[in-house]
Amino acid sequence: MKRKLTAAIGIAGMMVSIAACGGEGDGGSDKGGADAKELTVWLTVDAQNNWPELVKAADDAVKKKHPGLKINHEYYGWPDKNAKLDAVLATDKAPDVVEMGNTEMLGYMVKGAFAPLDQGKFDNSDAWLDGLKASVTYEGKTYGVPYYAGGRVANWRKDIAASVGVKTAPKTYKELTDALDKIQKKQGDKFNAWYQPTRDWYAAMSFVYDAGGAIATESGGQWKASLSSPESLKGLNEFKNVVDKYMHGDKTKDESDRYIVYGQGKSAMIFAAAWEGATAEDPKNDKTGKLKGNLENFVMPGPSGKNMPVFLGGSDLAVPVKSDAQDLAAEWINAFAGSSGQKGLMAKGNLPNNKTDLATLKNDPKTAVPATAAEANWFVPMAPGWGQVEKAQILQTMLQSIGTGKKSVEAAAKEADAAIDKVINTK
């Protein structure tokens, strides 16, 4: 499930009142509220619709320890979530637990909206997936708990691969490109052997990190863009090579309707969120009538010889700094997203928040591909101005310039670095 930072840039004004009462230290403020009689938990409709029994189990576990406790739940949709949260955080009636998309966390942590938590109090925290741990960490402190994750995998049509003599999913990047070359030659120039939207920065940055590059690096508390480093340029050049050779659609598009395009039958492969293949073969989207049972997920091999590092999307749980029941809120989070909760979430098709549970999924053929793919992962720079980078769509602009040939890889990367450097350290 894709999460984008959509509202963190708009919270600066509302944070004036938050800063006045923020807690210090590593374990919260004087608002522990261990004896509070009421707890308010805000989650998205994903929990309400897909795993309400896990919410109830967490409630029951906490109420057993705190007889008489009342737990209130509110559920919101992703499009309007942050506007609602921003409004309530400006008042004295903040909820005690909130669900955040993992790329949404940073702006709120920078502005002091969430209370620092004691990481050691949460199950499996020493084994949190690296990308998820990064999403809840700012300036050495922990401000949230990873809830669940969704990764990215390669997906292709077995029938088209078989038509050029390839009957098993590729294990190496050379095997992949050799197969794609054969497919492209057979299908012709109007076909996408690999439908890879140019503006899809999640995929493009996987090439960058696979090559040893990075969007930006930190030194002495300051961040500096590094897309024009030799390593990053190597990754960007390979991404351009993919787009030039295999992507014959509109090179100004992003990935938002990729599963729909895939379902139209003019593509042999995508590198996408794990749910996109299954959604493409849904009868509502499959315009070929041939995709059901004919699509295959596999771990995306990287040009480096290792598995391609993937961006981990997902959700985190945080405690607003204005909560009067921070200790109870932390208890509830651990009951919900701790060991027992993770098993329930995995049973619903989610990736867990930690490496220990992830390892168990690798033994099941149904979950081995996304679990293996998620082991190598990356996350956005946890820099104070990252939200401004996303808001300005600097990466998308760079990639479109590269994909359309408007600028060379080197020139586009240098320009993007300059734009990033202007805002990345700005709170």
Side-chain angles (χ1 to χ4, degrees), residues 50 155 161:
N50 301 320
N155 179 288

Side-chain angles (χ1 to χ4, degrees), residues 40 42 88-96 322:
T40 299
W42 282 18
V88 76
L89 288 181
T91 73
D92 293 323
K93 297 180 180 180
D96 303 297
K322 284 191 172 185

Side-chain angles (χ1 to χ4, degrees), residues 196 198 239-248 251 403:
Q196 179 51 64
T198 306
F239 180 76
K240 175 176 171 55
N241 185 49
V242 166
V243 171
D244 287 349
K245 289 180 69 176
Y246 308 125
M247 168 64 177
H248 299 284
K251 293 185 178 180

Side-chain angles (χ1 to χ4, degrees), residues 394-416:
I394 295 171
L395 297 180
Q396 293 94 321
T397 299
M398 174 191 71
L399 294 170
Q400 183 170 323
S401 294
I402 290 172
T404 58
K406 182 178 179 180
K407 291 185 173 71
S408 69
V409 171
E410 291 76 9
K414 186 176 181 179
E415 184 176 280

